[in-house]
Structure formats: C-alpha cells, structure tokens
Amino acid sequence: MGHSQVVILLMGVCQLSIIHGQDCPSRQELQSSLRQVHKLLTAHETSYMQSLRTLRKKLSLLQTSAARLPALKPNNVTCPKLEAPANGKKMGKILVPGHEIHFLCDPGFELVGSETRQCKETLVWSGQQPVCKDINECSSSPCLNGGTCENEVNGFACTCAKGWAGATCQSPVPTFFITITNTSAATSVGAAGAAGGTVGAAAAGASVPPPATSSPPMVRPSHCTQTQGTTHCTCDPGYTISGRDTSVCTDIDECELFHMGQAGRLCVHTCLNTPGGYRCACPAGYNLTRDGRNCKDIDECSNRQHNCEKDQLCINTYGGFQCVKVECPRIRNATYVKTTPLRCERNPCALDNRACSQAPNSVSYHYLAVVSNLSAPRVMFRVSAMRMIGDTLRFSLLGGSRARRHFTVQRSDRQTGQLMLVSPVAGPATLEAEVEMSELEKRVLLGRYITKVTIFVSPYDF
C-alpha cells in the first residue's frame, strides 16, 4: 500500500469521525500515524527483498548442481538391438539416440543395404538392415575357352573344356609327341600347342618301358607306347619332354609361365612351383582360401590372437592388428570425460568462461582398415547431426598438408558431411584426418564437434 493510499485512508477515518460526532485527529497525530505506517511498509519491503535474494541464490545453486550432474537417460530410451548380418560383422554397441552402428562383410561378400545406421530421437534406426550377399564371381565370365564356371564362397572354380587347363582355362594343354620309325635311324620331334598345365593321355598300344634311371624331383621318365611301328611318348601332368631325349620329362614352371598372364594371376600373392604343379602362399596375417589362390585376412581381435592391454582397444587391420588407447584431449580451461570407449564430451563450462565455451563440445575417435592403393575418389566416413539447435552446419578438414593431399570434406546434405579419399595411398601407411562440424546461429558459434579418423593402410592390395 502506497503513502497516498494511506493518506486517503486516514482522511476517510477523519470524515467518519465527523459524521459520528467525534473530533478529527490533529495534524500531529496524522503525521505520527503516517510515520508508523511508513516504518511498517519499509519493514515489509525489506523482508520481501531479502526473501527474493534468498530465493534467487537457492535457484542459482540448484542450477549449478544440476549442470554438474551427468545427463541421466532412462534405461528404456534406446533403439532396438541390431544383429550382425550373416557372413559379416557390426561395429558399435551404443543404442541411444545420436549414435551409429557400422556394418562390414567378410571377404567374398558384398553389402546390400545401409553401411551405417543411426539411432534417431524417435527410437528407430535410420536406413535398412544390411545383408551380406555372396559375390557371384561367375557373373563376369572368368572361365575362358568354353570353360564352365562354378561359384564358390569367396571365389570360383572353372571346369575346363577339353584341350584347355589353368585356373581360368587360359592355357592350352600340351600334346607333345615323339614319333620313331623302325625303318629309319632319324628321329622326328613335333609339338602341338604351348607348354602348359596338363599333358594328354597316351595313345593306345603296347607300352615301351622307360630306361631305369634315378630321376630328380623336377625330372621324370616319359611314358611311351608303340603302334604300327611308330612310338608315341607322353609325360605326366605338369611335365613336358624337352630336347631330343624322349625318355626324360621336365617339370613345367607354371609360376614363371602363367603367374602374370593376361587372364590374371595364378595366385593373389606368392606362387611356388612344385613338381608337376604349383601352390599359392599368403603373407603373415592371412590364410589361404578354399580355392587355393586367394588370401583371407585373419581377424586377430575376434580370435583373441592379440596382445593388447586391458586399457587398449584392438583394431583389426589387413594382415595384422593395432592396439590403440583412446585418451580424452587436454585443453586449457576445459575438461573432458569419456562417455563411450570412442567418445569424449566436454564438461559444462562456467557462464563467464569464454575460453571453455570455444573448446570442442565433443571429440570422437574412429579407426578404419583399408588395402593398399584403394581406388579414389571414395567416401571413407560420414559425420551427421541428429539435432540442430542453430540454423547452419559447417564442415571442414583440419590437419596439415599430408591430410589435405589425400582427403577432402564434402557436404552430402544439409546435416551430413563426408570425408573423401581423393588419391590412392600405397601401404604400409597410417593416415589421420580430423573433421570439424561447427553449429552456428546467425553466424554465431554455438558448438564444435571433432571427429578424428585414423586409417591403417595394408602393405598389400588384397
């Protein structure tokens, strides 16, 4: 109640006194009453302001305490669990909104569906559940010269037509023969076809025994038959008659003749010549596939064949593995806490700490394994924002000249940026790239999010 209202009230009291025949209070009495009312109002105002300050102080303390508490999420606010596709694997275990699950297929299979799925705020996954489909190597008709192709897991097998041999039926079967006539001392030597994998069967007739000799592994006696005075000599598969000595068959070195032929390599890595044939070998960290020609990476991390410590993560690479330790960044005026094994988030900043507010809100770590001389351009990684507070997202590539020599960052849509490989990389090598996603509102920075991608390049192209 204001002073003017008090005066009006007192004047009303005076008028009521006059109406009832009573004397009106004197001026001195009125002033004394006003002073008393003023003191009463001042006391009430002081008490009100003190209560208001106390309430504001309690609200500030409550807000500060709430900011220091970790964000609590109900246990049931998660997306459904995703399973790894058959003949493949998934990377990622967190099912809360904003996190991603990545899918990979085993060698010999191709991914059909979404390579990356993200948990949305509506608790559903983006994209479609992927399937690892066996690559039909026969679709490219690898078998030559009328050969029949049979698709196999992570490979193919050719059934060659008569007269052809080799992994893709690329080599004509040698049909060496020796003709010896009984009426002449001269020997006639002829050959049909090129030296290659398998020798034709001997002609029917009487068998002529070879001379008794102890032959080294790469040399064997020939098999001769006699028909109507003519002698025909043949060799075991993988051998050929060389020179004028019809009794000796010499091993064919398939690795030297056909390993780098136009129809493709006999072996994806190393070809080893053997008596009468060849075999393929793989480098350390690989196993030979069932087709005997290709090499399949050994997943040391899944098979527990690694020596990583408990505080390290095992990252499988082509031909080996890497032990990595994820540590949160140390930035002045800002502190970070690890929220997942591969993600660190900044603790809340004080209102007056501008340096802290300019530091990245989060830093994520991702590790990729690729083969040597991977074709480019190629998308290596995508960064996306699930929730936008501002009106603009900006994507940029951080790092030195080496990263910019091999990578660039492009925007694929309004909320997604992608890390692109722009030039092939010969292994072995380790590359690092940092993608920054900045969120702005009317050109004012609201937050920065860093994604650090480490790529391990294999020494081999398989």
Side-chain angles (χ1 to χ4, degrees):
M1 183 180 294
H3 292 172
S4 59
Q5 293 174 319
V6 175
V7 173
I8 294 173
L9 178 62
L10 291 176
M11 292 178 63
V13 172
C14 181
Q15 291 177 354
L16 288 174
S17 299
I18 295 174
I19 293 173
H20 290 85
Q22 299 177 357
D23 294 335
C24 181
S26 65
R27 182 182 182 86
Q28 185 176 2
E29 292 175 338
L30 288 174
Q31 290 179 346
S32 176
S33 298
L34 285 173
R35 284 194 294 269
Q36 292 178 358
V37 172
H38 179 71
K39 290 180 179 180
L40 179 62
L41 290 175
T42 302
H44 277 289
E45 183 178 8
T46 302
S47 176
Y48 171 76
M49 294 301 295
Q50 181 65 32
S51 299
L52 184 61
R53 284 193 293 269
T54 302
L55 180 60
R56 287 179 176 174
K57 185 176 181 180
K58 289 181 179 180
L59 287 175
S60 179
L61 292 174
L62 182 61
Q63 185 178 10
T64 303
S65 300
R68 292 177 179 176
L69 292 175
L72 298 178
K73 298 182 179 180
N75 293 331
N76 59 343
V77 186
T78 59
C79 286
K81 184 179 179 181
L82 295 178
E83 299 295 336
N87 302 308
K89 55 187 175 183
K90 70 172 183 178
M91 301 176 64
K93 299 180 180 179
I94 301 177
L95 308 179
V96 298
H99 288 268
E100 296 179 343
I101 300 293
H102 305 276
F103 299 92
L104 296 173
C105 289
D106 296 336
F109 294 86
E110 60 182 344
L111 190 74
V112 178
S114 301
E115 181 181 351
T116 299
R117 302 188 69 184
Q118 193 172 48
C119 181
K120 298 182 178 180
E121 290 295 331
T122 54
L123 302 182
V124 296
W125 291 99
S126 64
Q128 301 294 327
Q129 178 65 21
V131 176
C132 291
K133 183 180 179 182
D134 177 37
I135 299 175
N136 186 7
E137 289 85 358
C138 292
S139 60
S140 60
S141 301
C143 300
L144 308 175
N145 303 307
T148 303
C149 181
E150 181 180 354
N151 185 53
E152 297 180 348
V153 177
N154 196 25
F156 66 94
C158 291
T159 301
C160 299
K162 185 177 180 181
W164 296 92
T168 58
C169 305
Q170 77 279 10
S171 305
V173 173
T175 56
F176 286 90
F177 61 88
I178 301 297
T179 302
I180 303 176
T181 59
N182 293 334
T183 58
S184 173
T187 302
S188 174
V189 181
T198 308
V199 179
S207 176
V208 177
T213 59
S214 57
S215 304
M218 293 300 179
V219 177
R220 288 185 180 180
S222 63
H223 306 282
C224 298
T225 59
Q226 193 173 42
T227 304
Q228 297 179 354
T230 301
T231 302
H232 299 274
C233 295
T234 61
C235 297
D236 291 335
Y239 290 82
T240 181
I241 294 175
S242 60
R244 293 182 175 272
D245 189 353
T246 61
S247 64
V248 177
C249 294
T250 304
D251 174 66
I252 299 172
D253 191 342
E254 293 87 354
C255 296
E256 181 180 355
L257 292 176
F258 308 119
H259 184 49
M260 298 300 292
Q262 294 181 354
R265 294 182 293 181
L266 291 179
C267 303
V268 73
H269 184 56
T270 301
C271 181
L272 301 174
N273 186 55
T274 60
Y278 69 94
R279 66 181 179 88
C280 299
C282 295
Y286 293 85
N287 283 332
L288 197 65
T289 55
R290 291 196 305 173
D291 62 7
R293 299 172 56 242
N294 294 291
C295 297
K296 180 179 181 181
D297 172 60
I298 300 173
D299 190 343
E300 293 85 357
C301 297
S302 298
N303 299 336
R304 301 185 181 275
Q305 298 178 9
H306 61 86
N307 56 357
C308 299
E309 299 178 358
K310 291 184 178 181
D311 60 343
Q312 294 178 322
L313 294 176
C314 180
I315 307 298
N316 185 59
T317 62
Y318 287 94
F321 63 93
Q322 293 284 340
C323 299
V324 299
K325 184 176 181 180
V326 177
E327 295 183 341
C328 292
R330 297 181 180 180
I331 301 177
R332 187 177 181 182
N333 300 318
T335 58
Y336 290 83
V337 61
K338 189 180 294 185
T339 55
T340 72
L342 296 173
R343 182 181 178 89
C344 296
E345 295 186 5
R346 191 189 67 198
N347 288 318
C349 300
L351 296 177
D352 58 345
N353 192 342
R354 179 176 176 82
C356 176
S357 62
Q358 295 295 318
N361 297 60
S362 67
V363 180
S364 301
Y365 301 84
H366 296 272
Y367 301 90
L368 304 176
V370 300
V371 298
S372 181
N373 293 312
L374 193 66
S375 61
R378 179 186 295 263
V379 178
M380 301 300 295
F381 198 84
R382 290 185 175 92
V383 179
S384 181
M386 286 296 297
R387 301 181 301 272
M388 282 187 60
I389 301 176
D391 55 19
T392 305
L393 284 178
R394 181 184 300 162
F395 299 92
S396 58
L397 178 66
L398 307 180
S401 59
R402 187 184 184 193
R404 299 182 185 277
R405 186 165 65 249
H406 294 288
F407 300 103
T408 187
V409 171
Q410 296 180 354
R411 182 188 295 272
S412 59
D413 56 44
R414 184 172 179 267
Q415 294 183 226
T416 305
Q418 53 192 20
L419 178 67
M420 299 284 298
L421 178 70
V422 295
S423 63
V425 181
T430 301
L431 301 178
E432 294 182 352
E434 294 187 17
V435 180
E436 180 184 66
M437 181 177 67
S438 303
E439 189 172 17
L440 302 96
E441 174 71 28
K442 296 181 180 179
R443 299 185 178 182
V444 177
L445 182 65
L446 299 180
R448 297 170 56 221
Y449 307 89
I450 305 295
T451 301
K452 295 188 175 184
V453 182
T454 302
I455 301 176
F456 300 107
V457 185
S458 164
Y460 312 104
D461 58 356
F462 54 85

